[in-house]
Amino acid sequence: MAEAQKEKWTSHWRLFIACGVMILSPFQYGIDFGMIGGLQAMVGFLKVYGYRTPASPSGWNIATERQQLISSLMTLGAFISSGTAGLIANRLGRRACLWMACLTCCVANIIMMTTTHIGALYVGRLVIGLANGYFMTFSQLYIQESSTAKYRGLFLTGFQFFTSFGTLIGTIVDWATAKRPDKSAYLIPLGLIYVVPFFLSIGMFFIPESPRWLILQGRYEEGKKSLDWLRPDGFDTAAETAEIRAAIDKEKEMSSGVGWVDMVKNPVDRRRTLLAIAAVSLQAASGAMFIIAYKAYFLTMAKVTNPFAMSNVLSTIGILAIIANSLIIVKFGNRRVLLMTGLLNCGILQLIIAIVYDKQPGTKSTGTVIIALSCLYMFNYNGLIATYAWLAGGEIPTQRLRSHTFGMAAAVGFAGAWLTTFTAPYFINPAALNWGPRYGYIWFPSCVIAAAWVFVFLPEVKNRTLEEIDEMFEARLPARKFKTYKCVGVLNTLDADARKSIEKQNRVEVLMSEKVQTETSIVKE
């Protein structure tokens, strides 16, 4: 680890390229998430799927049920695909699953762009959710499994940055087309969805498969070749391959299988599964999903001047927060402290927004306060919660069950997001409860409870390799002792015969690989 700390980031340029390709996945998800909320405030969209009403500031509104389903069906689809990710991950690699997501995304968009029937639109939203679940799950698995301990947090910060950047692009395109009076107002933003899958599909041809997935499948030589590509020249990939292989073999000896039941079969796996699920669910617990999904509609109903422009401001603030966060994550990056701070700040800000609107609803000064506090809220959410929730949820799962555990964690996270996006219209729509910003009263206690959970249960694993995390969980340490624990290495925990056997197997496989390469080059000459 000491040597890794001294290396310059430029020596890892191939790793940065590989993870950079994968980061296109959350960019696609962000575009869709940012765009769909704006569509529901467009007159051109509402002429097709909504109705006229003098009660709405724009003169048009959409039925609460339709609003719920248009936003929440995508999240439901993501829940289904991420929840079953472990099944397909046993047979297909991370890249193959993402190619499937790209194809599914394009099919869904064709459905949405060629229909004016609400039922077909629902189908399109559900299908694109299936794609988004794969985008968010398998791209993160690839990053977690391929990056070094030092840069894992930075790459996950980049992951969240592109999620927010995609949201910003989606809202900017919505803003640019919102005043169009016909269907082109929403068809142009939908057309943007084809761009990212195209470039992602091409980019994945030039990067290797996840090394840990290959080693887990018993393809040790291919796993080492993947590490050779991802690591700097001269890096001891044979030792890293041996360490990964030893950790996986040790897990297989201690556990019976790879499946959903195995996630909770023994106490260690059960603890890691519950921690991963709860960590990812912190995003939903913060209440951010209703602001992200409905910000243009929410600001319109709060009578904020120029809600589409203000939506862009909120998205931009979120991106600035992630940039600021990237400057500290490598050196500081304490997951527990940053998550607790972000959750408490977000809870307090939502409470203040609710109180201000409750006292003076619909006034210009209240609208100004809501915008200011919403900007602070997005800064805290993107900078302190979203990044670290995904990061913690991806670091904690066990090696052999990573696809199942992280897929289930992502599914529960999407379920929380679905619950928020499905119920939010009941609270903020004038045709229902008409709470508007008073919705913040619900999310203040939610944030406080989530922060308390982080303090008590979430372990600190900053700058730990995935194999070191395995070792600490196997030692059954309480959460407070993870930060100071001194790891001895997986190979050192094995008996002498087992350690020598693994080292010998790796040396033989390396020599065989070199022999094959030499013979191939001789034949070519």
Side-chain angles (χ1 to χ4, degrees):
M1 188 179 294
E3 292 179 2
Q5 294 290 343
K6 295 178 182 178
E7 292 172 353
K8 293 182 179 179
W9 72 269
T10 51
S11 62
H12 290 269
W13 64 271
R14 289 190 296 266
L15 175 62
F16 274 77
I17 288 176
C19 292
V21 171
M22 287 295 154
I23 282 171
L24 288 174
S25 295
F27 184 59
Q28 166 62 37
Y29 174 77
I31 287 176
D32 181 77
F33 213 88
M35 174 195 64
I36 199 65
L39 297 190
Q40 297 174 63
M42 290 180 180
V43 172
F45 182 84
L46 295 174
K47 284 181 179 179
V48 180
Y49 299 107
Y51 61 91
R52 280 188 178 275
T53 174
S56 171
S58 66
W60 290 84
N61 199 6
I62 186 170
T64 303
E65 293 77 13
R66 290 190 173 191
Q67 192 176 31
Q68 289 173 313
L69 291 170
I70 289 170
S71 294
S72 65
L73 279 172
M74 185 278 286
T75 314
L76 178 61
F79 166 78
I80 294 170
S81 59
S82 56
T84 56
L87 296 176
I88 194 168
N90 290 335
R91 297 171 178 81
L92 298 177
R94 313 312 188 204
R95 294 186 306 163
C97 292
L98 287 171
W99 273 315
M100 289 176 57
C102 290
L103 177 61
T104 305
C105 181
C106 291
V107 170
N109 207 39
I110 291 172
I111 295 173
M112 291 189 292
M113 292 187 71
T114 56
T115 187
T116 56
H117 191 278
I118 190 64
L121 182 64
Y122 291 158
V123 172
R125 295 303 297 158
L126 180 65
V127 173
I128 203 168
L130 297 174
N132 283 336
Y134 271 18
F135 280 134
M136 296 297 282
T137 301
F138 288 106
S139 59
Q140 286 193 77
L141 285 172
Y142 185 97
I143 292 171
Q144 296 277 4
E145 294 169 347
S146 301
S147 61
T148 60
K150 179 179 179 180
Y151 294 112
R152 192 168 60 239
L154 182 62
F155 289 135
L156 266 295
T157 298
F159 187 96
Q160 185 59 35
F161 172 86
F162 272 86
T163 304
S164 297
F165 186 55
T167 302
L168 175 61
I169 296 300
T171 54
I172 287 176
V173 175
D174 280 354
W175 170 69
T177 64
K179 294 182 179 179
R180 288 173 171 262
D182 54 16
K183 291 195 297 182
S184 66
Y186 69 90
L187 289 178
I188 292 173
L190 285 175
L192 187 66
I193 290 177
Y194 293 113
V195 176
V196 177
F198 173 77
F199 285 104
L200 177 60
S201 297
I202 293 175
M204 286 190 294
F205 281 107
F206 300 97
I207 62 175
E209 183 54 82
S210 160
R212 282 183 170 83
W213 182 83
L214 290 169
I215 294 171
L216 182 64
Q217 303 303 311
R219 296 156 63 177
Y220 306 116
E221 184 181 330
E222 293 177 64
K224 183 181 180 301
K225 286 181 179 179
S226 178
L227 281 173
D228 288 338
W229 194 93
L230 292 165
R231 299 294 181 258
D233 295 332
F235 191 90
D236 189 0
T237 54
E240 185 175 0
T241 303
E243 185 80 6
I244 295 170
R245 182 174 182 178
I248 292 172
D249 289 345
K250 185 177 180 181
E251 284 184 17
K252 288 180 178 178
E253 289 175 6
M254 298 175 65
S255 304
S256 58
V258 179
W260 283 327
V261 175
D262 297 290
M263 292 192 294
V264 294
K265 202 169 186 179
N266 69 63
V268 175
D269 289 337
R270 183 163 57 248
R271 180 190 181 192
R272 297 178 77 167
T273 297
L274 294 175
L275 284 173
I277 289 172
V280 174
S281 299
L282 293 174
Q283 293 183 91
S286 70
M289 291 301 109
F290 104 88
I291 292 181
I292 295 172
Y294 297 109
K295 56 181 175 287
Y297 184 85
F298 167 74
L299 295 174
T300 298
M301 297 306 148
K303 298 183 179 179
V304 170
T305 304
N306 203 341
F308 280 95
M310 290 301 103
S311 296
N312 294 338
V313 171
L314 290 181
S315 298
T316 303
I317 292 293
I319 289 176
L320 293 177
I322 297 171
I323 293 173
N325 178 61
S326 67
L327 301 176
I328 66 170
I329 190 170
V330 173
K331 292 186 178 180
F332 182 63
N334 188 306
R335 281 78 160 141
R336 285 163 50 84
V337 172
L338 295 173
L339 277 168
M340 285 188 291
T341 303
L343 286 164
L344 290 174
N345 287 348
C346 285
I348 292 169
L349 288 167
Q350 291 240 47
L351 179 63
I352 296 173
I353 289 173
I355 293 172
V356 169
Y357 186 82
D358 203 17
K359 299 297 181 183
Q360 292 184 320
T363 65
K364 184 177 180 180
S365 59
T366 297
T368 302
V369 171
I370 289 174
I371 285 296
L373 295 178
S374 295
C375 288
L376 290 174
Y377 178 89
M378 290 306 300
F379 190 90
N380 278 274
Y381 172 75
N382 274 2
L384 301 176
I385 299 176
T387 300
Y388 295 101
W390 281 118
L391 179 59
E395 291 173 324
I396 289 172
T398 180
Q399 297 272 20
R400 80 183 196 289
L401 295 171
R402 189 171 302 280
S403 298
H404 285 76
T405 304
F406 185 70
M408 182 58 65
V412 174
F414 282 124
W418 171 82
L419 183 63
T420 302
T421 54
F422 187 78
T423 58
Y426 278 124
F427 293 93
I428 64 176
N429 196 310
L433 293 178
N434 195 24
W435 278 25
R438 297 185 190 92
Y439 197 32
Y441 283 130
I442 290 177
W443 295 111
F444 169 69
S446 175
C447 288
V448 172
I449 293 170
W453 176 87
V454 171
F455 178 77
V456 176
F457 294 107
L458 188 67
E460 179 57 61
V461 292
K462 175 198 171 188
N463 286 340
R464 302 285 194 172
T465 67
L466 299 181
E467 289 66 43
E468 288 174 331
I469 294 172
D470 286 342
E471 180 183 334
M472 290 189 288
F473 273 107
E474 289 298 336
R476 306 200 178 193
L477 301 174
R480 66 182 184 279
K481 291 188 177 181
F482 271 66
K483 185 176 180 180
T484 57
Y485 184 78
K486 302 295 183 183
C487 292
V488 296
V490 178
L491 285 173
N492 293 327
T493 65
L494 302 174
D495 59 62
D497 291 339
R499 185 166 62 252
K500 288 179 180 178
S501 176
I502 289 175
E503 290 173 346
K504 182 179 179 181
Q505 286 175 343
N506 278 285
R507 284 196 299 270
V508 169
E509 286 165 4
V510 170
L511 290 172
M512 290 295 292
S513 176
E514 291 175 350
K515 182 180 178 182
V516 170
Q517 291 176 0
T518 302
E519 291 175 349
T520 302
S521 62
I522 291 173
V523 170
K524 288 182 178 178
E525 291 174 359

